[in-house]
């Protein structure tokens, strides 16, 4: 979905070609369709954007690498950069790595002024400038990070909300009388599970997710102890600490 969206926008001002395994997905009359990877050299692209799931990203890059011209910029929009950063270091190609921090499920793709996008600092200068101009034209809030900073940040901004929503979904009891907070959590959980499974798994497989799991275990253990000991003061301190953290900044 992200690939179709970005191709439609870029085709307004650029010559765009699409290689799509499902022909029904390419309905944009402003884009050219390539039959397979062997058509890449003839198209002579300035940039190739790899917009597939994370588990397919590196295999696609390795398959097209012998077919791209020396000056072609390779691009990805993956939500976890761990293996991708290693590929870029060794491939000898120009590259630009970005991460639009929104998707079709929650974001209004027509109005993105409150949304964010990340551009990886180690990227090729021309590639960074291209996406910076593209994102600015959409009104996005742009952040520059290196590969390590990106994946560390994603463990907090994506992995934690994903985990908590999944745990909520696993404990849903339709016999309860839902309140306002329950209903809001249910909407978030339903929206999350409407995403593709490969996207959910790639976010959770971020190595830095483990640090967040360890922290959550400690916080839950602290909460459990306060309840078991009927320690109201410890419970109030738990609430105070988390409220204070929420209000920082």
């Amino acid at each position: 979905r992200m690939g179709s969206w970005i191709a439609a926008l870029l085709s307004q001002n650029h010559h765009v070609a699409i290689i799509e395994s499902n022909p029904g997905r390419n309905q944009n009359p402003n884009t050219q369709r390539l039959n397979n990877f062997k058509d890449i050299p003839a198209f002579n692209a300035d940039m190739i954007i790899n917009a597939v799931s994370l588990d397919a990203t590196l295999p696609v890059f390795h398959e097209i690498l012998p077919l791209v011209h020396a000056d072609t910029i390779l691009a990805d929009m993956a939500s976890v950069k761990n293996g991708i950063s290693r590929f870029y270091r060794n491939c000898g190609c120009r590259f630009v790595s970005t991460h639009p921090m929104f998707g079709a499920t929650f974001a209004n793709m027509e109005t993105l002024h409150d949304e964010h996008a990340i551009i990886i600092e180690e990227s090729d200068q021309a590639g960074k400038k291209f996406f910076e101009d593209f994102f600015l034209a959409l009104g996005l809030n742009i952040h520059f990070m290196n590969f390590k900073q990106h994946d560390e940040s994603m463990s907090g901004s994506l992995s934690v909300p994903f985990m908590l929503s999944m745990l909520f979904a696993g404990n849903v009891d339709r016999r309860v009388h839902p309140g306002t907070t329950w209903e809001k959590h249910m909407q978030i959980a339903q929206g999350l599970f409407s995403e593709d499974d490969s996207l959910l798994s790639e976010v959770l497989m971020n190595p830095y997710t483990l640090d967040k799991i360890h922290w959550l275990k400690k916080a839950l253990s602290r909460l459990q102890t306060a309840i078991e000991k009927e320690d109201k003061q410890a419970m109030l301190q738990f609430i105070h600490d988390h409220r204070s953290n929420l209000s920082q900044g």
Side-chain angles (χ1 to χ4, degrees):
R1 287 180 291 181
M2 182 62 73
S4 298
W5 173 78
I6 198 170
L9 286 179
L10 291 177
S11 67
Q12 297 174 12
N13 298 298
H14 302 276
H15 185 192
V16 176
I18 294 177
I19 301 176
E20 173 56 71
S21 58
N22 185 341
R25 291 179 182 169
N26 183 19
Q27 303 294 333
N28 188 342
N30 297 322
T31 60
Q32 177 182 341
R33 178 174 176 81
L34 304 184
N35 294 319
N36 51 56
F37 292 153
K38 294 180 180 179
D39 294 335
I40 289 177
F43 187 75
N44 193 23
D46 296 313
M47 179 183 293
I48 297 178
I49 301 175
N50 190 345
V52 299
S53 60
L54 184 62
D55 58 353
T57 298
L58 288 177
V60 167
F61 269 145
H62 284 296
E63 189 169 353
I64 69 172
L65 195 56
L67 302 172
V68 301
H69 293 281
D71 289 334
T72 300
I73 299 175
L74 300 181
D76 77 273
M77 299 184 294
S79 54
V80 180
K81 306 294 186 182
N82 187 32
I84 293 173
S85 63
R86 289 195 297 269
F87 167 78
Y88 284 142
R89 284 197 300 268
N90 298 321
C91 73
C93 294
R94 301 168 69 195
F95 70 87
V96 57
S97 188
T98 69
H99 183 189
M101 293 288 295
F102 52 88
T105 300
F106 292 114
N108 180 351
M109 303 298 274
E110 303 298 324
T111 305
L112 298 171
H113 295 286
D114 293 328
E115 303 295 343
H116 299 259
I118 296 170
I119 299 176
I120 299 300
E121 292 175 338
E122 294 97 324
S123 301
D124 176 88
Q125 289 298 324
K128 285 195 290 188
K129 183 66 168 60
F130 178 85
F131 274 102
E132 183 177 9
D133 292 343
F134 176 67
F135 290 150
L136 284 175
L138 295 172
L140 292 169
N141 300 287
I142 302 175
H143 310 272
F144 290 90
M145 300 179 180
N146 61 39
F147 281 115
K148 183 174 183 292
Q149 289 170 334
H150 172 272
D151 282 4
E152 287 178 336
S153 177
M154 291 311 101
S155 68
S157 62
L158 294 181
S159 295
V160 170
F162 280 25
M163 286 189 291
L164 295 178
S165 295
M166 289 180 180
L167 291 173
F168 172 83
N171 192 45
V172 165
D173 185 347
R174 292 291 184 177
R175 296 170 298 176
V176 305
H177 300 287
T180 302
T181 302
W182 189 95
E183 289 286 4
K184 288 181 178 179
H185 278 289
M186 176 60 81
Q187 292 173 11
I188 293 173
Q190 290 173 333
L192 179 71
F193 280 106
S194 70
E195 295 283 5
D196 183 76
D197 286 356
S198 62
L199 171 64
L200 301 179
S201 64
E202 72 183 53
V203 167
L204 294 175
M205 290 297 288
N206 178 355
Y208 294 102
T209 298
L210 289 173
D211 294 335
K212 300 302 181 182
I213 292 176
H214 293 321
W215 184 92
L216 289 170
K217 284 182 176 180
K218 290 180 180 179
L220 288 172
S221 177
R222 180 183 170 191
L223 181 61
Q224 180 179 352
T225 299
I227 296 172
E228 288 176 343
K229 294 184 176 182
E230 299 182 358
D231 189 340
K232 185 175 181 179
Q233 191 59 42
M235 178 63 74
L236 291 173
Q237 188 62 48
F238 181 89
I239 295 171
H240 171 77
D241 291 345
H242 288 77
R243 179 185 286 121
S244 297
N245 187 67
L246 188 65
S247 62
Q248 288 180 5

